[in-house]
Amino acid sequence: MPRRWLHHNRMAQSQSTGLQKLLGELEVQVMEHMWTLGEQGEATVRDVATALQQDRQVAYTTVMTVMGHLADKGLLTRSALDGKTHIYRVALTRDQFLSRSSRQMVNTMVEDFGDLALAQFLAAVERVDPDKLQRLRQALDGSSIETVDTTSIAAQKPYMQGIEP
C-alpha cells in the first residue's frame, strides 16, 4: 500500500469531522485554538499549552512537539522570539487547509486510480442536488479557491485526455 494511503483508516472513520480525518486529535485542538486568534494572531507554546490545559491535561513538551509538526506541515509558521522561545502564527486558514488537502487527495486518487477514480467522482457529482451544484459552480467561478490545472496533468496522464481544465 502506498505510504500516502496509510491514513486510510482515519479517513474512513465516519464519526470524525474533516479536520479529524486529516490531523491528530491534539493537532486539531492546537489549530482550533490558533484559528480563534485570527490571521494576525500569534502564540507561544506556553500560551497554547495553557489554553489547552483548561480542558485537558497535556504536557508543555507535547504541545511543543505538536506545534513543531504543524509548522513542518505548513499550517503554522515559527520564528524565534529569543534563545528558546518561538512565536507561532497561522500559515493557512481552516478553509485554505481543507481546500489544499482535498485537492491533494483528489489529485492522488486520480494519479493512483485513473479512470476508476474519475468515474466515482462523476457518480458522486450526479447525486448532488442541482441547486447545490449551481451554487458551487458560481462560487468556484468567482473564488480564489485553488484548483487543479488539468492541462499539465492531461499531457502526462493518458486517462486524463479529453478532460477540460
Side-chain angles (χ1 to χ4, degrees):
M1 178 179 296
R3 184 167 191 258
R4 59 184 164 203
W5 293 106
L6 291 178
H7 296 290
H8 174 69
N9 289 339
R10 188 188 310 170
M11 293 296 294
Q13 294 174 354
S14 61
Q15 71 274 15
S16 298
T17 67
L19 283 175
Q20 293 167 334
K21 290 181 179 184
L22 300 170
L23 300 171
E25 180 184 346
L26 188 54
E27 288 177 319
V28 170
Q29 291 175 345
V30 168
M31 287 310 301
E32 293 286 0
H33 176 74
M34 293 299 292
W35 283 323
T36 62
L37 300 176
E39 290 185 34
Q40 303 304 316
E42 57 186 35
T44 63
V45 172
R46 176 73 56 210
D47 297 332
V48 175
T50 301
L52 295 179
Q53 288 167 347
Q54 294 175 5
D55 297 324
R56 68 179 279 182
Q57 187 175 2
V58 61
Y60 171 89
T61 53
T62 302
V63 175
M64 181 174 63
T65 299
V66 167
M67 291 180 75
H69 290 182
L70 290 168
D72 293 342
K73 291 179 180 183
L75 283 131
L76 298 175
T77 61
R78 171 180 48 208
S79 54
L81 189 61
D82 60 36
K84 291 185 176 182
T85 305
H86 289 84
I87 214 73
Y88 289 83
R89 291 176 187 84
V90 171
L92 295 173
T93 67
R94 176 193 313 268
D95 286 343
Q96 289 169 331
F97 171 65
L98 291 174
S99 178
R100 181 185 76 174
S101 298
S102 61
R103 184 180 64 253
Q104 288 172 341
M105 285 186 273
V106 167
N107 288 343
T108 298
M109 299 260 322
V110 170
E111 287 175 15
D112 288 351
F113 301 106
D115 287 345
L116 294 172
L118 292 171
Q120 292 302 317
F121 289 130
L122 287 173
V125 168
E126 289 173 354
R127 292 189 299 267
V128 175
D129 176 64
D131 291 336
K132 184 174 185 175
L133 278 177
Q134 183 61 30
R135 287 190 308 272
L136 289 170
R137 282 187 187 105
Q138 289 171 347
L140 190 58
D141 287 343
S143 77
S144 62
I145 295 175
E146 298 174 26
T147 57
V148 177
D149 177 7
T150 57
T151 308
S152 62
I153 296 172
Q156 301 168 3
K157 307 290 183 184
Y159 53 80
M160 291 292 288
Q161 299 301 321
I163 304 296
E164 296 297 322

